[in-house]
């Protein structure tokens, strides 16, 4: 509820004697440093008497109630929910593709990925692609170490005393044969080039197929895969980036209206980032920074599925605060701020202390209560 307060300077008022110094109260509607981007209109209030003798026009002001609630400096940015880390799968070796997974299928390390010439190509975990056959008599190398790590993790080296070093030992041959037996393949003890695909993820989701059944292997990608987790991505404006800190906590509002918490996993300048988002503003995001957010609860995210989201970075927050519009604030002579509180047919000036300021609203403390009416310009 609001009302109008009429303030009129009476005619014929004489200037006050010099020895009686009047207190001046000046409106401060623009708090440049504190507002952090919140806008407010600048104006002057004719509180106090003027020294002229001519009549002054009446100035109309409204009132607004002091609110009690929460205030936050957080910002919101549009974004997208998508599967993370698109990766092309390039097949090595020669042959014809005879089986492919379905789009959306999840393949775990140690399982059949696709098939060439009727034989399975298996997904294993590693950062280094295979470039040679791995078997007895080969020279030491990090690719051997990578293979041995997979054999140990998959359980095919149990009881062999196998260690993840760079030497292809007799125990490695035994572990490979066990693995080949589990796959239903001939037990040669040698892993041939093209029979394995090494990817960093322990499990992947097939995003898109790049080859058809019957296609010959070549330099083009057989498919594109992603991680199995959904992530949120956003491309904030440059003047918002300071709010996005590595590992910082954020809240993501999903398309179905629910919210989910997460943390900032990476900030990548240029391109679409890990999530594959092309920019929430339609610009393509070539020169923007893409923020990728890991989500706390995947089940909730997958219920919403890939979609648009709103990312909120929560800054400083206060609760149970007394809040007024910044237009109610008065800058006082000698420093500090006050508000004009309406008491019946009169007003009284109350000195207050400023707290958090956001969205053109200010937290105040002082001799005011929730529900009090304070004066604002109309």
């Amino acid at each position: 509820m609001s009302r109008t307060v009429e303030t009129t300077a009476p005619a014929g008022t004489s200037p006050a004697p010099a020895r009686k110094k009047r207190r001046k109260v000046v409106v401060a509607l623009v708090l440049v440093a504190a507002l952090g981007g919140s806008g407010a209109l600048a104006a002057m209030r004719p509180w106090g008497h003027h020294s002229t003798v001519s009549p002054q026009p009446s100035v109309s002001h409204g009132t607004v109630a002091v609110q009690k609630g929460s205030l936050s400096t957080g910002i919101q940015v549009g974004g997208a929910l998508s599967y993370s880390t698109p990766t092309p799968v390039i097949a090595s070796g020669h042959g014809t593709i005879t089986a492919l997974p379905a789009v959306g299928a999840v393949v775990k390390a140690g399982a059949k990925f696709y098939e060439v010439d009727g034989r399975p190509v298996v997904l294993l975990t590693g950062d280094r692609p295979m470039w040679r056959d791995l078997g007895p008599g080969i020279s030491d190398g990090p690719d051997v170490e990578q293979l041995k790590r997979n054999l140990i993790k998959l359980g095919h080296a149990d009881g062999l005393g196998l260690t993840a070093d760079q030497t292809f030992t007799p125990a490695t041959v035994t572990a490979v044969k066990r693995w080949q037996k589990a796959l239903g393949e001939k037990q040669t003890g040698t892993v041939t080039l093209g029979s394995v695909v090494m990817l960093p993820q322990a499990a992947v989701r097939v995003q898109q197929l790049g080859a058809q059944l019957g296609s010959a292997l070549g330099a083009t990608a057989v498919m594109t895969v992603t991680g199995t987790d959904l992530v949120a991505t956003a491309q904030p404006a440059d003047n918002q980036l300071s709010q996005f800190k590595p590992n910082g906590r954020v809240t993501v509002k999903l398309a179905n209206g629910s919210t989910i918490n997460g943390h900032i996993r990476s900030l990548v300048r240029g391109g679409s980032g890990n999530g594959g988002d092309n920019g929430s503003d339609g610009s393509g995001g070539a020169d923007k920074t893409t923020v990728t957010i890991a989500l706390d609860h995947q089940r909730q995210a997958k219920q919403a599925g890939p979609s648009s989201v709103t990312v909120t970075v929560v800054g400083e927050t206060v609760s149970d605060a007394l809040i007024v519009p910044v237009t109610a604030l008065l800058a006082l002579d000698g420093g500090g701020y006050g508000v004009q509180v309406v008491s019946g047919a009169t007003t009284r000036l109350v000195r207050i202390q400023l707290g958090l300021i956001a969205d053109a609203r200010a937290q105040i403390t002082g001799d005011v209560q929730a529900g009090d009416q304070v004066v604002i310009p109309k």
Side-chain angles (χ1 to χ4, degrees), residues 82-87 89 101-108 113 123 199 201-208 223-230 302 306:
S82 59
Y83 286 96
S84 63
T85 320
T87 304
V89 177
V103 171
V106 173
V107 182
K108 296 182 178 180
F113 204 4
L123 174 65
L199 291 177
Q201 305 96 319
V204 297
R205 176 183 177 276
V206 179
Q207 183 185 58
Q208 180 180 342
M223 68 186 80
T224 300
V225 299
T226 69
T228 58
D229 286 347
L230 282 164
K302 288 176 181 177

Side-chain angles (χ1 to χ4, degrees), residues 2 4 34 37 43 79 152 198 221 225 317 342:
S2 65
T4 298
I152 293 169
M198 294 284 186
V225 299
T317 301
V342 178

